[in-house]
């Protein structure tokens, strides 16, 4: 067991509620709940402590890691991070309060690589919902937790879009749980923006009742590559056009093509410029930590970090933009909710608008008790002889 002595001043930091105004959604925009100013996400995808094992690493329970990384985040000028993998079991007070003090909001993926809906064999049960609820309990108490994601690129091709119904059921049930806890944190979905299913996907997560549709929508986009690309040739203009008159916020949950290096991030001027800010609410550049895929802004080694060649370029690009928004009091939401897409292979869409029911262990137990065929033998066979007669004992 590891034991450490924590100074009283740091205990005070963990115990208090950091001063940061919660964010709210009105129509297709995020707003500061106190000032009424429109909020544009100037974020970075944050998942340090990558390991070669399947073990989940929770960076928001790592005070030393947050202490190491916070100066870089502040220097970059970001106001939000997206964290892909966390666990509900650790103590997150130090990291969340440090981030709040720096004016940094947090978007959290509810799923992990081991606790998720599998596109190849989609299923959604009480254990998965319970895990999501535990994570909501762990992070819902922080004012800088501004959004949850119920899925990330779960369906990525026409032949596995049926998995989207399970994700949407998870959105419905986590929204209901958040409401039951007296919280007001939106739940959304992030897609890989595959052109073949782009329209079907975005309309599916916007259609239906308010109880079951996404509160906001995220796109992982890597289409703007290098200084020679433009708003039109990169495909950004087409993406934005698809969300004209949308009724919920749309953000870039990942962006930052690295086909041409070093990255100079010319797309930042467009994301926070007049072409996009009427529809998009900013985004998260991919990514904070340097990995083998060479997307990182910072190389992390133990308790220290160093800037990569992309770091200053992103910092410069972000500092140059000053998006102009509207006041919440004068904003009148006018977006239009979408109809659900047609279902069928000819429409490249397999997810029904009728969602799976809310999973419940109590329902499963009731169903088992109602079965007329119940095994008389309660122990499994342990030998070939027992196996031969096992079927006669039911």
């Amino acid at each position: 067991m590891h034991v450490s002595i924590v100074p009283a001043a740091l205990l005070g930091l963990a115990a208090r509620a950091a001063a940061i105004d919660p964010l709210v959604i009105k129509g297709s925009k995020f707003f500061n709940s106190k000032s009424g100013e429109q909020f544009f996400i100037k974020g970075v995808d944050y998942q340090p402590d990558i390991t070669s094992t399947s073990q989940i690493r929770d960076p928001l329970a790592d005070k030393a890691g947050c202490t190491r990384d916070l100066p870089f985040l502040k220097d970059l000028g970001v106001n939000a991070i997206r964290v892909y993998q966390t666990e509900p079991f650790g103590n997150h007070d130090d990291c969340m309060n440090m981030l709040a003090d720096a004016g940094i909001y947090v978007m959290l993926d509810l799923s992990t690589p081991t606790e998720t809906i599998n596109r190849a064999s989609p299923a959604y049960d009480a254990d998965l919902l319970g895990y999501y609820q535990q994570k909501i309990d762990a992070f819902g108490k922080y004012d800088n937790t501004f959004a949850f994601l119920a899925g990330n690129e779960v369906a990525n091709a026409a032949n596995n879009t049926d998995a989207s119904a399970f994700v949407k059921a998870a959105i419905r049930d986590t929204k209901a749980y958040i409401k039951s806890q007296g919280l007001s944190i939106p739940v959304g979905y992030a897609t890989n923006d595959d052109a073949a299913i782009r329209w079907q996907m975005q309309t599916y997560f916007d259609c239906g009742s308010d109880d079951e549709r996404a509160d906001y929508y995220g796109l992982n986009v890597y289409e703007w590559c290098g200084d020679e690309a433009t708003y039109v040739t990169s495909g950004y203009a087409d993406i934005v056009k698809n969300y004209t008159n949308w009724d919920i916020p749309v953000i870039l949950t990942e962006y930052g093509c690295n086909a041409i290096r070093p990255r100079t991030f010319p797309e930042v001027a467009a994301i926070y410029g007049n072409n996009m800010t009427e529809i998009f609410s900013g985004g998260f550049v991919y990514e904070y930590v340097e990995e083998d895929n060479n997307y990182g802004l910072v190389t992390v080694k133990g308790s220290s970090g160093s800037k990569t060649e992309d770091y200053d370029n992103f910092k410069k690009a972000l500092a140059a933009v000053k998006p102009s928004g509207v006041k919440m009091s004068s904003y009148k939401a006018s977006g239009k909710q979408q109809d659900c897409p047609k279902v069928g292979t000819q429409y490249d869409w397999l997810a029904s608008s009728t969602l799976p029911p809310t999973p419940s262990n109590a329902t499963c137990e009731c169903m088992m008790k109602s079965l007329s065929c119940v095994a008389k033998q309660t122990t499994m066979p342990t030998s070939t002889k027992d196996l031969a007669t096992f079927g006669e004992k039911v």
Side-chain angles (χ1 to χ4, degrees):
M1 181 174 66
H2 177 73
V3 178
S4 61
I5 299 174
V6 182
L10 292 178
L11 287 173
L13 173 67
R16 67 170 175 77
I20 192 169
D21 298 334
L23 301 179
V24 296
I25 289 175
K26 180 181 179 181
S28 62
K29 304 181 189 304
F30 286 96
F31 292 94
N32 181 300
S33 63
K34 299 293 179 62
S35 70
E37 297 290 335
Q38 187 176 348
F39 184 82
F40 292 96
I41 298 162
K42 294 182 175 180
V44 62
D45 294 311
Y46 178 79
Q47 193 67 46
D49 299 324
I50 301 299
T51 67
S52 58
T53 70
S54 60
Q55 180 182 1
I56 302 301
R57 301 295 296 272
D58 185 347
L60 297 183
D62 178 11
K63 180 186 170 186
C66 291
T67 302
R68 173 198 64 213
D69 297 332
L70 190 61
F72 289 106
L73 296 172
K74 292 170 67 175
D75 181 60
L76 283 168
V78 301
N79 62 12
I81 59 173
R82 174 191 175 186
V83 187
Y84 295 83
Q85 296 179 26
T86 55
E87 289 283 16
F89 315 116
N91 188 318
H92 305 97
D93 289 344
D94 289 319
C95 286
M96 292 299 289
N97 282 323
M98 282 191 282
L99 290 164
D101 281 341
I104 297 174
Y105 293 88
V106 181
M107 173 183 287
L108 292 157
D109 287 57
L110 291 172
S111 62
T112 69
T114 57
E115 302 288 342
T116 189
I117 294 167
N118 185 341
R119 70 171 71 96
S121 181
Y124 174 51
D125 58 22
D127 288 340
L128 184 59
L129 175 58
Y131 180 81
Y132 289 175
Q133 291 172 338
Q134 286 181 304
K135 193 168 287 191
I136 291 165
D137 290 339
F139 288 98
K141 60 185 176 181
Y142 303 110
D143 285 341
N144 55 332
T145 299
F146 85 101
F148 292 114
L149 280 166
N152 179 66
E153 299 186 4
V154 176
N156 62 359
N159 63 0
N160 58 35
T161 53
D162 57 328
S164 298
F166 296 87
V167 178
K168 198 167 178 180
I171 290 175
R172 175 200 62 206
D173 297 336
T174 51
K175 286 177 65 170
Y177 183 73
I178 289 169
K179 184 177 180 180
S180 74
Q181 301 305 298
L183 300 171
S184 183
I185 303 172
V187 182
Y189 177 73
T191 178
N192 67 331
D193 193 46
D194 185 287
I197 56 174
R198 177 186 293 161
W199 181 254
Q200 301 94 309
M201 186 75 71
Q202 68 189 64
T203 55
Y204 184 74
F205 282 98
D206 187 50
C207 74
S209 69
D210 286 342
D211 292 339
E212 64 187 28
R213 69 191 187 118
D215 293 315
Y216 68 94
Y217 195 65
L219 303 175
N220 300 337
V221 176
Y222 294 88
E223 296 185 8
W224 195 315
C225 299
D227 291 330
E228 298 301 316
T230 67
Y231 177 67
V232 174
T233 63
S234 66
Y236 266 50
D238 292 332
I239 292 172
V240 173
K241 185 178 179 181
N242 281 339
Y243 294 94
T244 300
N245 202 34
W246 216 251
D247 63 329
I248 60 173
V250 185
I251 62 177
L252 297 180
T253 35
E254 294 177 10
Y255 73 87
C257 171
N258 71 347
I260 299 173
R261 304 194 68 207
R263 295 187 289 175
T264 56
F265 304 98
E267 67 268 49
V268 169
I271 293 169
Y272 301 97
N274 292 334
N275 283 328
M276 294 185 65
T277 52
E278 181 59 32
I279 297 173
F280 277 71
S281 294
F284 298 87
V285 72
Y286 192 82
E287 65 177 321
Y288 176 78
V289 70
E290 179 73 303
E291 301 178 62
D292 293 340
N293 57 13
N294 297 317
Y295 278 96
L297 302 176
V298 176
T299 298
V300 170
K301 197 171 194 180
S303 61
S304 64
S306 59
K307 302 174 184 178
T308 68
E309 58 183 350
D310 289 347
Y311 182 98
D312 285 325
N313 289 339
F314 178 67
K315 177 183 174 181
K316 180 180 177 181
L318 201 61
V321 297
K322 292 181 172 45
S324 177
V326 298
K327 291 284 287 187
M328 182 165 60
S329 59
S330 61
Y331 169 64
K332 294 187 182 351
S334 59
K336 179 181 179 297
Q337 185 181 355
Q338 304 301 305
D339 295 326
C340 292
K342 294 180 179 179
V343 180
T345 54
Q346 69 271 37
Y347 304 115
D348 289 332
W349 191 254
L350 303 176
S352 170
S353 58
T354 302
L355 304 180
T358 300
S360 167
N361 283 327
T363 300
C364 292
E365 290 171 6
C366 179
M367 182 183 71
M368 291 301 294
K369 289 177 182 178
S370 71
L371 295 178
S372 59
C373 178
V374 180
K376 296 177 182 177
Q377 182 173 325
T378 57
T379 57
M380 293 300 292
T382 57
S383 67
T384 304
K385 180 180 178 182
D386 290 340
L387 181 63
T389 60
F390 180 69
E392 301 172 0
K393 299 179 180 180
V394 297

